[in-house]
Amino acid sequence: MLTVAVDGIPLHYRDVGQGLPVLLLHAFSLDGSSFDLQVAALSGRYRFIVPDLRGFGQSPLGEGPLEMRRLALDALALLDALNIDSAVVGGVSMGGYASLALLREDPGRVRGLVLADTQCNADDAAGRDKREATAQQALKEGSASVIHGLVPLLLHAGPESPVGREATRLGLSTTPQAIAAAQRGMASRLDSKDLLARFAGPTLVVVGEHDVLTPVAKAKQMADLVRGARLEIIPGAGHLANQERPEAFNTVLDTFLASLA
């Protein structure tokens, strides 16, 4: 098992393939294995660096709220440990928030940006209140009480689909403490509209056609902020487009990465 220690926390990661480095950051309640279908299809041409973010998969949580800046600093420390000066940085949902935090922290490390089923807006007061309620629910009632309500929102195919069952399995393996820390960390994230408007690098924005959490309109908003950004809508997919429609997702990702390599 590959790990890198950051502030004494051993963070698990996968390092697969060769070529252009691509750092992928996963969605809330999942882990790095959620990118297995991208790694399997494309690692012959690109080098994928895929961590389990703090509190998820095989990476311990550590202390305090899981702020997006903390996740970004973890990812930068991983790139440092691997002697990677710059990489394409991408993320799904919460991983997109962390990718934007990394861009804010050290834009020189971002060779290209992939934002999938995510958004650039900060939570409003109602959104922050909802996340705090979810954090409290997890701590009081356990992970299952949150995950069973979340998974139906993630997938167009529904929770009983193979991808839905896997998302449920990963979510149920996440501790209530990690769920609460991540919800509070996402609630405190910064608005990134100005950040994207200043970014001049290659950008791919991807969204599932049926994403109800960060719908197509939010993807269009991000793409409109970055000059030359590509917007790709994945037919038949929900919020986890890379898992639900991997062939379509891999095609647009491969096209984007090939333009940089």
Side-chain angles (χ1 to χ4, degrees), residues 58-251:
Q58 299 179 65
S59 294
L61 176 60
E63 299 294 330
L66 204 57
E67 296 176 344
M68 298 303 101
R69 182 173 183 267
R70 175 69 269 166
L71 297 181
L73 293 175
D74 287 346
L76 288 168
L78 175 56
L79 294 181
D80 288 343
L82 297 175
N83 296 311
I84 296 174
D85 293 330
S86 66
V88 177
V89 177
V92 174
S93 192
M94 182 181 76
Y97 303 155
S99 297
L100 289 167
L102 190 155
L103 178 64
R104 184 184 302 278
E105 201 65 28
D106 196 346
R109 306 294 290 274
V110 181
R111 186 165 174 178
L113 189 63
V114 180
L115 299 171
D117 296 288
T118 191
Q119 62 178 319
C120 59
N121 302 300
D123 282 349
D124 59 15
R128 292 192 295 271
D129 288 346
K130 185 176 181 180
R131 290 196 190 276
E132 179 58 29
T134 301
Q136 293 289 344
Q137 178 184 351
L139 293 172
K140 293 176 181 177
E141 302 176 24
S143 300
S145 68
V146 172
I147 298 303
H148 287 308
L150 172 65
V151 172
L153 303 176
L154 299 179
L155 299 153
H156 181 57
E160 295 307 316
S161 66
V163 179
R165 290 194 295 271
E166 177 64 7
T168 299
R169 183 187 71 81
L170 292 175
L172 293 177
S173 71
T174 305
T175 67
Q177 292 75 20
I179 289 174
Q183 287 294 324
R184 289 165 174 163
M186 287 188 284
S188 69
R189 73 185 187 277
L190 299 175
D191 189 281
S192 296
K193 291 191 291 291
D194 289 348
L195 177 69
L196 281 179
R198 295 192 302 269
F199 183 57
T203 302
L204 171 66
V205 179
V206 190
V207 63
E209 176 188 16
H210 302 290
D211 188 339
V212 298
L213 295 179
T214 51
V216 171
K218 290 185 180 291
K220 289 181 176 177
Q221 178 189 31
M222 292 189 294
D224 287 344
L225 287 168
V226 185
R227 178 175 295 181
R230 304 182 189 186
L231 172 63
E232 298 285 354
I233 300 171
I234 305 298
H239 189 63
L240 302 179
N242 70 301
Q243 295 173 264
E244 197 164 18
R245 292 291 182 268
E247 291 185 1
F249 187 96
N250 292 349
T251 296

